[in-house]
Amino acid sequence: MKNWTLQKKWTYSSAISIFLSFLTMCVILYFSLFNWMLISEKKTAQNTLNEVVQSLQSKGPFITIQDISRNRTLLNQIVNQKQSIRLLNKDGIELLRINDASNFPEYSKESSTEFQRDVINNQLVYHKVEELNFGTFSGFVEISHSLDSFSELMNYILIAMLIFAVISLLISALIGYSLSSILLKPIKELRGEMQRAKQHKFSEKVNFHYSSNDELGELLIIYKELMNEVSKTINRQDEFIYNVSHELRTPIQVVEGHLSLLNRWGKDDRHVLEESLIISLEEIQKMKRLMEEMLKLAKREHAEETFQTSILEVVKFLQKEYKLIHPKVAISMEINPDYFVTIQPTALQQILRNLIDNSIKYNENDPIITIEVTRNAKNMVISLADNGIGISSDQITKIFERFYTVDEARTKSKGGSGLGLSIVKMLVKEYKGEIDVESKLGEGAMFRVYLPYTTSK
């Protein structure tokens, strides 16, 4: 049964259950009918015996065969009911027999005065002996009531019940199969939906609908919630892989640049060697912090910490970094040293680095980038303007989408993936901030990042 389908199990179990219920009812009904009809046969035999005794006693002290034959009603009753009557003297010798339809047992002085059911010469009968006294006669009258009709009727009823039981088994199996097909149809559809989700790597939405408010409806709700969680987990995993690969490029480039410098001639200059090793170690530490931060973002498990990050220090660090990897990039700034924002330093570096990379990538001249910081009632406003090619109005709403690129041919030549601005928006949103952009084609772009702030440490 382990390899049976649920429909097969349901069909067999419902068929057997209905069959056993029907069979139990048939057994109870059969034995009830058997006992009721047996009692009825006993009453019929007792009534006949009473009428015979009464008839004989009413004839007085003298009675003849002609007197008995004149009682047609009683004789017809005895014949129709397949009964036999016999008169016995005190010694048990048979004197008279009326009708020979039913067999008698051998007489015995210990014969019971109650009805007994026996099989005599392969015939089932009820028999009883009763004392009889009228006139000078003293003896016994005995009745033998045939139960052949009773046996035939009970056999007929038994056969009919067995036939009905078999029919009920077939009908219950058909009903069970039909009901299981109807009731299991949503489960089969749900199974198909699960297989489809598996084939599409859980990226497809659940299209299965079931409106009934029952256990299956609850199961569908749980399944949809589970699928949403699985989909979110997969998306977070994909985001983590893409984001980490994207964000690690710059630190790796810095380390690679210093190692190349050392390999060419820097290893002979102690000052350059020391500076390159320090910067490389700083970049490695930064990569470690970046990995931790990206893991938190992927799991959505940001600790409720109050960060106080100096915007000026972060921008100075980026100036130094880009001076090494992009010497032609000019980054100017106008930042109050007392301006701090409530964001992880590595996260702010990621945001500004991606915006700077975007300005460099979409620029046909030597990049000039200006970073200014102002403050309003709620947020610090970090503005980053460039002299790049700008963004058309129909593309401004799409640039923060993952994998979207403004100029596909240009992006491929620059090695872009379309992830930078989507990471920026994700980070800003994680730290309860906002971002917007103003741009026109040929006039550069202005990005504004709004982040919660503290005035000083």
Side-chain angles (χ1 to χ4, degrees), residues 16-41:
I16 291 173
S17 299
I18 296 173
F19 173 73
L20 291 178
S21 300
F22 182 81
L23 187 62
T24 303
M25 292 177 61
C26 285
V27 170
I28 295 172
L29 180 61
Y30 177 81
F31 283 104
S32 299
L33 282 173
F34 184 89
N35 291 325
W36 176 77
M37 293 183 68
L38 204 58
I39 293 171
S40 179
E41 292 290 329

Side-chain angles (χ1 to χ4, degrees), residues 51-164:
E51 288 183 19
V52 169
V53 172
Q54 184 180 0
S55 176
L56 292 174
Q57 289 178 343
S58 66
K59 298 300 181 180
F62 303 102
I63 187 170
T64 64
I65 297 299
Q66 288 77 15
D67 293 331
I68 295 174
S69 63
R70 290 192 191 100
N71 193 345
R72 296 290 182 183
T73 303
L74 180 59
L75 293 177
N76 289 335
Q77 179 180 333
I78 292 172
V79 171
N80 291 335
Q81 293 176 353
K82 294 183 179 181
Q83 296 169 337
S84 296
I85 305 293
R86 69 177 179 176
L87 292 176
L88 306 171
N89 62 15
K90 279 288 187 179
D91 298 324
I93 298 172
E94 183 176 324
L95 303 177
L96 174 68
R97 178 177 294 207
I98 302 173
N99 198 22
D100 198 21
S102 185
N103 297 316
F104 289 95
E106 292 185 4
Y107 175 75
S108 172
K109 291 183 179 181
E110 287 79 22
S111 296
S112 175
T113 57
E114 296 295 330
F115 273 104
Q116 298 292 321
R117 188 176 59 175
D118 288 319
V119 177
I120 303 171
N121 296 329
N122 298 322
Q123 185 182 30
L124 184 64
V125 298
Y126 255 144
H127 63 88
K128 181 182 180 181
V129 176
E130 190 168 311
E131 289 188 5
L132 179 63
N133 295 296
F134 62 94
T136 59
F137 179 80
S138 178
F140 304 97
V141 60
E142 185 176 9
I143 185 171
S144 177
H145 179 84
S146 175
L147 294 176
D148 288 342
S149 298
F150 165 79
S151 299
E152 291 175 0
L153 178 60
M154 294 311 299
N155 289 335
Y156 174 79
I157 291 174
L158 179 61
I159 292 172
M161 285 184 173
L162 290 175
I163 293 173
F164 285 136

Side-chain angles (χ1 to χ4, degrees), residues 139-263:
F140 304 97
V141 60
E142 185 176 9
I143 185 171
S144 177
H145 179 84
S146 175
L147 294 176
D148 288 342
S149 298
F150 165 79
S151 299
E152 291 175 0
L153 178 60
M154 294 311 299
N155 289 335
Y156 174 79
I157 291 174
L158 179 61
I159 292 172
M161 285 184 173
L162 290 175
I163 293 173
F164 285 136
V166 173
I167 293 174
S168 71
L169 179 62
L170 297 176
I171 293 175
S172 60
L174 180 62
I175 293 173
Y177 181 81
S178 301
L179 286 176
S180 63
S181 298
I182 295 171
L183 296 176
L184 292 176
K185 183 179 178 181
I187 297 180
K188 290 181 179 179
E189 292 178 357
L190 182 57
R191 180 184 64 183
E193 185 70 24
M194 290 179 175
Q195 291 174 342
R196 189 177 68 86
K198 180 182 178 182
Q199 292 173 355
H200 291 85
K201 306 297 183 183
F202 304 99
S203 60
E204 297 279 335
K205 289 186 177 181
V206 179
N207 295 322
F208 175 64
H209 299 285
Y210 186 77
S211 57
S212 298
N213 189 21
D214 53 15
E215 290 81 357
L216 188 57
E218 293 176 0
L219 177 63
L220 178 60
I221 292 173
I222 295 172
Y223 171 69
K224 286 184 176 180
E225 291 175 353
L226 179 62
M227 284 299 297
N228 289 335
E229 288 298 320
V230 170
S231 180
K232 288 179 181 178
T233 301
I234 293 174
N235 287 337
R236 285 199 294 267
Q237 182 182 17
D238 291 342
E239 284 180 9
F240 175 75
I241 293 171
Y242 291 131
N243 294 348
V244 167
S245 63
H246 182 275
E247 294 301 307
L248 288 179
R249 284 189 303 178
T250 299
I252 290 173
Q253 285 176 350
V254 173
V255 174
E256 183 183 20
H258 280 283
L259 291 176
S260 298
L261 177 64
L262 293 176
N263 188 48

